[in-house]
Amino acid sequence: MKIFVTGGTGFVGSYLVRNLARRGHKVTVVTRSPGKASSINGGVALVQGDPMKPGQWQQELKDHDVIVNLAGASIFTYWTEKARKAIMESRLFTTRNVVDALAENGKEKILISASAVGYYGSREDDLVLDESSPPGNEFVTEVSRLWEAEAARAADHGVRVVLARLGIVLGRNGGALGKMVPAFKRYLGGTLGSGRQWFPWIHEEDILHIILFLLEKDHIAGPVNFTAPNPVRHKDLVQTLSKVLNKPAVMPPVPGFAVKALLGEFGNVLLKGQRVIPGKLTDEGYQFQYPELRGALENILRQE
Ligand SMILES: NC(=O)c1ccc[n+]([C@@H]2O[C@H](COP(=O)([O-])OP(=O)(O)OC[C@H]3O[C@@H](n4cnc5c(N)ncnc54)[C@H](OP(=O)(O)O)[C@@H]3O)[C@@H](O)[C@H]2O)c1
């Protein structure tokens, strides 16, 4: 298939596009910086453009069967007013431009548009959340909700729209592990706050396989939780990570107030988490490559 990707140079996107191309799909990535994107080459075509702005890249998009929409400014930062604006607008404007480009001949096309488990809000309880659960009430929820609403407009043009509510992606070259592993290797890894908060994770390889699965399932549309079936508590993540790395986590837990002082509202998200399960994928019979955290971490970290 011909697959067009926004955000294809990022942590999730670069893994995805390399592996889609390896499987024989014709993949095109729109990027603001083709120079920086040279590492993904491997048969992937690059188009220069800023997806936040309408442009020639939209003409290129029209010629593709599938659009995977991942672009967005990083949320791993202190959320100043300026950062919040960038986080929100980079997602809304990009998605709006993608959907506008699909207005003419959307029939037979598929849009897989990223969202996040942040949709459900940061929660301190053990309630199990699936796609039918209501949204939370905070900044990340608002971003996810509006981002999804922009993507959902493509359905009016006949496009099959999947809203991919991504959990925390575990993979080789960045993401959450890219931030955690260096600290653990120096015996500086530890629990944040009580450690009881839920950590809804997913292996990058499952993201690839879920997308391939969804391409074959014409009847699946709307929100789909991209999370492993066995979320863990943060303290279990810390324990498993230290076992797999063979580096005991000797640091005392970082108190919640310190995390909040350091990271502001983003710190709050890390301290609360949410217990999300892949309700729709399980109902549809998707078989996870990595259903358990230990196997996922061994696969990622023992090959490094
Ligand atoms: N990683 C996770 O654990 C996780 C969890 C939940 C949801 N998600 C969502 O999944 C998507 C991909 O995540 P990721 O970790 O791969 O992100 P990433 O590594 O930060 O990559 C994001 C991509 O978006 C583009 N981008 C960044 N800022 C932009 C801006 N201001 N305007 C337009 N494009 C911009 C960049 O492309 P160019 O620089 O090439 O233009 C980059 O390749 C994100 O939208 C993220 O919110 C990720």
Side-chain angles (χ1 to χ4, degrees), residues 116-136:
V117 290
Y119 174 88
Y120 302 108
S122 305
R123 312 181 57 120
E124 284 167 299
D125 58 24
D126 292 343
L127 190 71
V128 175
L129 303 161
D130 67 11
E131 290 85 349
S132 64
S133 303

Side-chain angles (χ1 to χ4, degrees), residues 271-289:
L271 290 167
K272 292 189 175 165
Q274 58 280 102
R275 188 179 188 180
V276 181
I277 56 154
K280 234 182 221 178
L281 289 172
T282 304
D283 289 350
E284 293 291 342
Y286 174 75
Q287 298 289 320
F288 278 84
Q289 310 280 313

Side-chain angles (χ1 to χ4, degrees), residues 6-13 29-33 36-37 49-52 69-76 86 90-91 94 114-117 147 166-170 175-176:
T6 76
T9 60
F11 161 59
V12 176
V29 167
V30 59
T31 172
R32 297 163 304 164
S33 342
K36 278 198 301 186
D50 181 350
M52 275 184 75
N69 180 37
L70 298 169
S74 176
I75 69 156
F76 286 96
S90 57
R91 288 170 175 77
T94 296
S115 175
V117 290
W147 196 9
L166 301 182
I168 298 149
V169 182
L170 305 182

Side-chain angles (χ1 to χ4, degrees), residues 4-152:
F4 189 93
V5 184
T6 76
T9 60
F11 161 59
V12 176
S14 55
Y15 173 85
L16 203 57
V17 299
R18 263 199 312 274
N19 284 286
L20 288 168
R22 246 178 232 156
R23 282 173 162 72
H25 294 288
K26 292 220 169 313
V27 182
T28 306
V29 167
V30 59
T31 172
R32 297 163 304 164
S33 342
K36 278 198 301 186
S38 53
S39 60
I40 56 168
N41 47 44
V44 175
L46 297 175
V47 172
Q48 176 152 24
D50 181 350
M52 275 184 75
K53 299 179 189 143
Q56 179 58 32
W57 64 271
Q58 291 171 297
Q59 298 305 320
E60 302 270 350
L61 180 154
K62 289 180 185 175
D63 185 32
H64 291 73
D65 314 300
V66 180
I67 293 88
V68 179
N69 180 37
L70 298 169
S74 176
I75 69 156
F76 286 96
T77 180
Y78 199 101
W79 295 346
T80 57
E81 271 316 301
K82 192 172 163 211
R84 281 171 197 263
K85 190 168 184 298
I87 289 168
M88 181 70 93
E89 289 185 352
S90 57
R91 288 170 175 77
L92 299 195
F93 295 176
T94 296
T95 307
R96 193 169 302 163
N97 290 327
V98 164
V99 172
D100 288 350
L102 288 167
E104 280 164 30
N105 56 350
K107 286 227 165 58
E108 312 281 311
K109 294 198 195 291
I110 306 169
L111 169 61
I112 299 178
S113 195
S115 175
V117 290
Y119 174 88
Y120 302 108
S122 305
R123 312 181 57 120
E124 284 167 299
D125 58 24
D126 292 343
L127 190 71
V128 175
L129 303 161
D130 67 11
E131 290 85 349
S132 64
S133 303
N137 179 25
E138 60 194 77
F139 175 64
V140 273
T141 304
E142 200 57 4
V143 173
S144 305
R145 217 177 46 75
L146 296 175
W147 196 9
E148 291 188 4
E150 285 291 346

